[in-house]
Amino acid sequence: MRFDIVTLYPDMLHPCFSQGVLLGAQEKGLLAIHLHDLRAFSPDPRGIVDDRPFGGGAGMVMRPEPFFRAVDALSREIGTRPYVILLSPQGVRFDQALAKELARKGAVALLCGRYEGVDERVAELADLELSIGDYVLAGGELPAAVVVEATARMVPGVVGRHASAATDSFYSGPLLGYPQYTRPRSFRGLRVPEVLVSGDHERIRRWRLRQAWRKTLQHRPDLLGLRLERHHQDTKSRRHPR
Ligand code: SAM
């Protein structure tokens, strides 16, 4: 699978993709991640990519032409038009189901905004406007990294034998993942549940399923269609309700 990220700050993203699972997947040829400097696509010889908003208002808006030229250039380079995503807090909310869907596209291009945002015509260029949550960041780079990493993990072979996407939260439905433990068995009075060291695989399987339900009910009842109350309470007070 191929990702192309068009951004004003390619150097900011390089470290995200040059270690760990994503580096391994690129080395195995399962992924190709290309970073592109938006200024290279500016029709302006000085590489200007923003301007004042029509109608007045604070801040600068990113001009549309560099994004259109970038998608044209990528389509020529790849030999087909990539699936184009505009990162925006106004987009549809990214989730695991969408990550799985994107992982089936051969090539995805991600367009990162900055400043006050992007000229609305870029939304018409995009196949999808995508948000990573209901908050506003300074730019689309961190959202792009989130989308690439979550999507790449859904590409067969990317997550190796040291981890399994299939037991992750959200993977096969609305349940959160079950609690995990490793050595030591006892630490500062905190003990690993006895069932996990019992060697009884059927008991462990049932315990994990029950725990996944318990965690989901406790932390994210909304995933089960229940009302989410007290969701700003910290984890500790949820675990030990007063
Ligand atoms: N004025 C815009 C608004 O109110 O919707 C916000 C612009 S934001 C400061 C600049 C850029 O950051 C956006 O164009 C987008 O690319 C990116 N961005 C910020 N928050 C985001 C989010 N939650 N999800 C995806 N992209 C986001």
Side-chain angles (χ1 to χ4, degrees):
M1 171 161 197
R2 172 175 174 143
F3 294 97
D4 290 273
I5 306 179
V6 181
T7 163
L8 275 180
Y9 301 116
D11 289 347
M12 180 177 166
L13 281 169
H14 190 257
C16 300
F17 306 131
S18 54
Q19 45 214 321
V21 169
L22 295 191
L23 174 63
Q26 290 170 84
E27 287 172 348
K28 282 191 239 159
L30 295 169
L31 292 182
I33 304 172
H34 301 277
L35 303 175
H36 306 273
D37 186 345
L38 180 68
R39 290 191 198 285
F41 302 104
S42 169
D44 183 283
R46 293 158 296 169
I48 289 174
V49 293
D50 60 332
D51 214 324
R52 288 190 301 276
F54 279 126
M60 300 296 270
V61 173
M62 298 184 80
R63 295 171 59 120
E65 316 97 297
F67 289 105
F68 278 74
R69 288 163 61 117
V71 170
D72 288 346
L74 289 174
S75 303
R76 279 196 300 274
E77 189 184 319
I78 301 169
T80 180
R81 190 181 188 277
Y83 187 78
V84 178
I85 294 177
L86 172 62
L87 281 319
S88 162
Q90 302 174 12
V92 299
R93 186 95 64 85
F94 186 55
D95 63 12
Q96 192 69 47
L98 201 41
K100 280 189 194 172
E101 210 177 302
L102 292 178
R104 289 194 284 270
K105 315 259 180 220
V108 170
L110 299 117
L111 311 179
C112 305
R114 278 265 155 187
Y115 313 130
E116 281 307 305
V118 172
D119 184 291
E120 190 63 25
R121 287 165 288 187
V122 181
E124 289 173 40
L125 168 71
D127 297 297
L128 181 68
E129 273 185 88
L130 194 56
S131 164
I132 62 160
D134 291 346
Y135 41 81
V136 177
L137 298 163
E141 289 75 17
L142 296 177
V146 167
V147 172
V148 169
E149 183 160 319
T151 303
R153 293 183 82 254
M154 295 295 104
V155 172
V158 167
V159 176
R161 66 185 176 84
H162 291 296
S164 167
T167 57
D168 283 341
S169 302
F170 310 113
Y171 182 82
S172 48
L175 285 190
L176 300 179
Y178 53 75
Q180 301 271 20
Y181 294 87
T182 185
R183 289 192 174 83
R185 275 173 73 162
S186 180
F187 176 73
R188 297 193 181 195
L190 300 167
R191 295 186 64 79
V192 172
E194 184 279 327
V195 59
L196 295 180
V197 291
S198 67
D200 182 338
H201 295 295
E202 180 51 23
R203 254 184 86 207
I204 293 172
R205 189 192 65 75
R206 281 191 272 115
W207 181 87
R208 284 179 166 166
L209 186 61
R210 269 200 315 277
Q211 292 299 317
W213 277 93
R214 182 189 60 77
K215 276 210 128 177
T216 311
L217 271 168
Q218 208 169 50
H219 295 193
R220 294 292 308 277
D222 56 309
L223 294 173
L224 303 171
L226 302 170
R227 265 186 58 205
L228 180 61
E229 281 172 36
R230 304 184 305 168
H231 69 288
H232 288 307
Q233 214 174 28
D234 61 55
T235 320
K236 216 162 189 166
S237 50
R238 270 189 301 221
R239 214 178 287 141
H240 307 290
R242 268 171 246 165

